[in-house]
Amino acid sequence: MSSEQPKLDGPDLTLGISLTALADGAMLLGHANGEAVMVVRRGDDVFAIGAVCTHYSGPLAEGLLDGDRVHCPWHHACFSVRTGEALHAPALNPVACWHVDVRGGKAYVTEKVEREPLAPTPNPSKRGAPLPSTIGIIGGGAAGNAAAEMLRREGYNGRITVFDADADSPYDRPNLSKDYLAGNAPEEWIPLRPSGFDEANGIEIVRSQVASLDAKNKSVTLDGGTQHRFDRLLLATGASPIRLTVPGSDSPSLHYLRSLADSRGIVAASASATRAIVIGASFIGLEVAASLRARGLEVHVVAPEALPFEKVLGTELGKFIKALHEEHGVVFHLQRTVASFNAAGVVLNDGENLAGELIVAGIGVRPNVALAEAAGLATDRGVTVSELLETSATGVFAAGDIARWPDAWTGERIRVEHWVAAERQGQAAARNLLGAREPFHAAPFFWSAHYDVTITYVGHASSWDRIEIQGSIGKRDCALAYQTKGKTMAVASIFRDSVSLAAEVAMERGDANAVSALFAGK
Ligand SMILES: Cc1cc2nc3c(=O)[nH]c(=O)nc-3n(C[C@H](O)[C@H](O)[C@H](O)COP(=O)(O)OP(=O)(O)OC[C@H]3O[C@@H](n4cnc5c(N)ncnc54)[C@H](O)[C@@H]3O)c2cc1C
Ligand code: FES
């Protein structure tokens, strides 16, 4: 993540702000002692917190204030305006808080109070049962890491062990197809935590693959045969790219992208390549296409569908994204598949030869459910979990790409592959591992970046009978409501963060009228 200092806007808040200029519910951006700070008025209370989101430096004062929480406009992290605590991922670190003196009809921002990243929350969740002594987490990616951190933030003092064979985890996986791959983000930004962070917080990381799981006894056996037993367990094994099986699929030119090592491999291969072939017009496929264009490679995309994203985002948004990539020089070979690989590149199913020294396949992922299946846990195209994220085995929870949970908004059991959802599930599962029994009601959220356009999506619509379009897709200022029988199941947006945020908050409250109202005037 960038450590660039933001430029300071607004008034110097140490000189005082007139309370008459600060309406109830207002957020005012200013600065104090060289830092961007925003003041927030809630009734008679005035709060001051850091104005820059700790995820990717989003402008919090342009976000949504909901009670005493502010939601970041960019990727929907949520902070307490009272304490600065990062209440919901993707932000893992709090923002600083400043004391505010109210006197003579003015509010003065005074001393700064910083929270440690894993400082215990002032409002730990309520627990009904004795705490477990040991918790094992299988997988140290988005969900596993967020869970381990939340256990400490909840004040848990027991033993936490995370198993993950990936030597680099945990890291910012979404960046691997975006700025890092494009050459705009150095590798120092990719780790989620500095080295030594786990030791300092008593989180033991075991760099080993878990080979099997005994769900009844809550024990795991590692690849080398070592066994570890726990009081409670979290499964967060994520997903793996689907591999091609056509002739020549062992070509050294063919890459997949899931891990930091994979992304490093593509970066290295791009240095000597002039032409790239991307197989699959998925989010990852097209983000890779954009990043390789940024590196100056000629990029060809091969995909079986007639229009990218049509099934996920609809025809209009699909056309926009295709045109956006074409404007940037990407050449599409749609309604085509790869039949085989040869020394020069690939042969398509219509016999055409396509040359390319670098080939990246992004044809989807499969949830890593083998451990769960072999352990006899209930599975259904993912690991089946309750609204508490507990699997069919008591005391064994699952979160992230593998979890299929009962989603309150859609009324369906869903499984998604979204960074923020995985982290939030990890955080919710952590509280439930400690006995909080809190249902997981977060609306799934994802974003995808293509050149200078970011698409955000909240909710889940596996199908729809109508798409309501607000604003203009062509002008890159729009929100789309995906509706089934009059109910908006999901909202996609481009640079209409306020609609996306309001939809998320309303969905989490179960307020269908509020979601509809967002599209009422269009
Ligand atoms: C290149 C890329 C870009 C993405 N971009 C976006 C984006 O822009 N927006 C978005 O919302 N989502 C994005 N995603 C998806 C997002 O990264 C995933 O949804 C998220 O990482 C899922 O979190 P998870 O914890 O379930 O799995 P992961 O983050 O994949 O973590 C799983 C971990 O489990 C480990 N593991 C697996 N099996 C075992 C085992 N048997 N024993 C021990 N450890 C094991 C793995 O090594 C891995 O570290 C992207 C994904 C990729 C690959
Ligand atoms: S920048 Fe705030 S959530 Fe990403």
Side-chain angles (χ1 to χ4, degrees):
M1 257 149 267
S2 168
S3 55
E4 209 176 290
Q5 287 300 312
K7 93 175 172 28
L8 299 177
D9 285 317
D12 181 344
L13 301 168
T14 62
L15 302 178
I17 293 294
S18 166
L19 289 178
T20 49
L22 199 62
D24 189 12
M27 297 193 283
L28 176 77
L29 176 65
H31 54 94
N33 303 320
E35 289 186 63
V37 175
M38 62 179 212
V39 285
V40 177
R41 183 157 180 194
R42 272 286 168 221
D44 291 338
D45 294 328
V46 181
F47 305 104
I49 61 167
V52 181
C53 178
T54 55
H55 177 232
Y56 272 17
S57 306
L60 291 182
E62 293 171 26
L64 178 81
L65 184 66
D66 177 39
D68 55 6
R69 297 165 165 219
V70 62
H71 299 255
C72 177
W74 286 0
H75 316 104
H76 296 200
C78 171
F79 298 88
S80 162
V81 297
R82 289 179 185 273
T83 63
E85 189 184 4
L87 298 170
H88 296 302
L92 297 176
N93 287 332
V95 287
C97 240
W98 276 260
H99 286 296
V100 180
D101 267 358
V102 178
R103 57 188 145 87
K106 280 184 148 190
Y108 296 84
V109 170
T110 60
E111 316 95 84
K112 179 179 175 185
V113 186
E114 297 227 53
R115 289 175 68 84
E116 286 298 314
L118 301 196
T121 172
N123 301 303
S125 50
K126 295 193 177 54
R127 297 157 195 158
L131 289 181
S133 301
T134 55
I135 293 178
I137 299 177
I138 309 176
N145 174 67
E149 294 199 4
M150 186 52 80
L151 287 170
R152 287 291 178 243
R153 284 174 53 187
E154 283 283 321
Y156 176 65
N157 291 321
R159 196 165 145 207
I160 304 172
T161 310
V162 180
F163 300 95
D164 199 319
D166 184 339
D168 300 306
S169 71
Y171 48 82
D172 184 356
R173 203 176 297 281
N175 210 321
L176 302 181
S177 50
K178 304 180 182 68
D179 284 341
Y180 175 71
L181 187 59
N184 300 326
E187 194 160 316
E188 304 91 85
W189 295 1
I190 301 304
L192 290 185
R193 292 303 188 188
S195 89
F197 183 88
D198 299 313
E199 291 88 331
N201 290 287
I203 298 169
E204 185 192 2
I205 310 271
V206 177
R207 295 287 172 202
S208 180
Q209 191 80 357
V210 171
S212 69
L213 160 72
D214 176 343
K216 189 159 177 276
N217 293 310
K218 295 179 194 61
S219 79
V220 299
T221 304
L222 306 186
D223 262 356
T226 326
Q227 278 197 346
H228 296 254
R229 208 193 157 282
F230 298 95
D231 294 333
R232 289 191 195 143
L233 273 176
L234 174 67
L235 282 175
T237 47
S240 297
I242 295 172
R243 309 252 155 191
L244 286 153
T245 52
V246 298
S249 302
D250 56 353
S251 162
S253 309
L254 174 60
H255 295 253
Y256 296 91
L257 177 51
R258 182 76 191 180
S259 64
L260 176 54
D262 294 338
S263 194
R264 284 189 194 121
I266 298 171
V267 170
S270 71
S272 56
T274 53
R275 249 174 90 114
I277 300 169
V278 174
I279 306 174
S282 58
F283 285 108
I284 289 179
L286 289 194
E287 286 188 353
V288 167
S291 294
L292 294 179
R293 287 297 300 137
R295 284 188 180 269
L297 273 73
E298 192 181 317
V299 177
H300 293 256
V301 174
V302 180
E305 58 267 40
L307 185 62
F309 301 127
E310 191 173 23
K311 279 196 186 141
V312 192
L313 299 174
T315 307
E316 298 309 316
L317 211 42
K319 281 182 184 163
F320 167 79
I321 298 168
K322 176 170 179 268
L324 176 69
H325 281 272
E326 283 171 339
E327 274 165 34
H328 285 83
V330 170
V331 181
F332 284 95
H333 303 262
L334 296 173
Q335 296 179 288
R336 243 82 68 82
T337 56
V338 168
S340 62
F341 290 78
N342 59 25
V346 299
V347 182
L348 303 186
N349 57 342
D350 60 2
E352 187 187 346
N353 280 283
L354 211 52
E357 308 89 7
L358 168 61
I359 306 168
V360 184
I363 55 169
V365 295
R366 280 202 190 95
N368 294 322
V369 294
L371 279 180
E373 278 175 351
L377 298 180
T379 56
D380 166 23
R381 296 157 296 143
V383 179
T384 306
V385 292
S386 66
E387 61 173 0
L388 304 181
L389 303 175
E390 194 166 23
T391 67
S392 55
T394 308
V396 180
F397 293 74
D401 284 3
I402 57 167
R404 184 173 292 278
W405 82 99
D407 174 51
W409 179 253
T410 55
E412 295 166 17
R413 289 197 147 270
I414 63 171
R415 187 185 72 75
V416 300
E417 291 148 11
H418 307 347
W419 180 255
V420 174
E423 289 192 320
R424 289 184 184 173
Q425 286 184 0
Q427 294 179 330
R431 289 189 280 266
N432 289 334
L433 281 157
L434 300 179
R437 304 197 62 76
E438 283 176 18
F440 177 73
H441 279 168
F445 166 83
F446 78 82
W447 80 99
S448 183
H450 306 255
Y451 314 98
D452 54 350
V453 174
T454 297
I455 297 154
T456 64
Y457 183 98
V458 63
H460 185 79
S462 41
S463 61
W464 54 82
D465 50 41
R466 181 183 163 83
I467 299 179
E468 197 78 61
I469 302 177
Q470 180 195 87
S472 159
I473 297 177
K475 289 184 181 155
R476 305 168 180 204
D477 176 15
C478 61
L480 288 81
Y482 300 83
Q483 300 175 338
T484 300
K485 294 185 187 147
K487 178 173 176 180
T488 297
M489 307 304 251
V491 171
S493 74
I494 299 176
F495 299 129
R496 283 213 175 182
D497 299 321
S498 57
V499 178
S500 178
L501 277 176
E504 180 182 80
V505 170
M507 284 175 185
E508 288 178 357
R509 286 209 183 107
D511 189 345
N513 290 338
V515 180
S516 301
L518 293 169
F519 287 83
K522 282 208 283 174

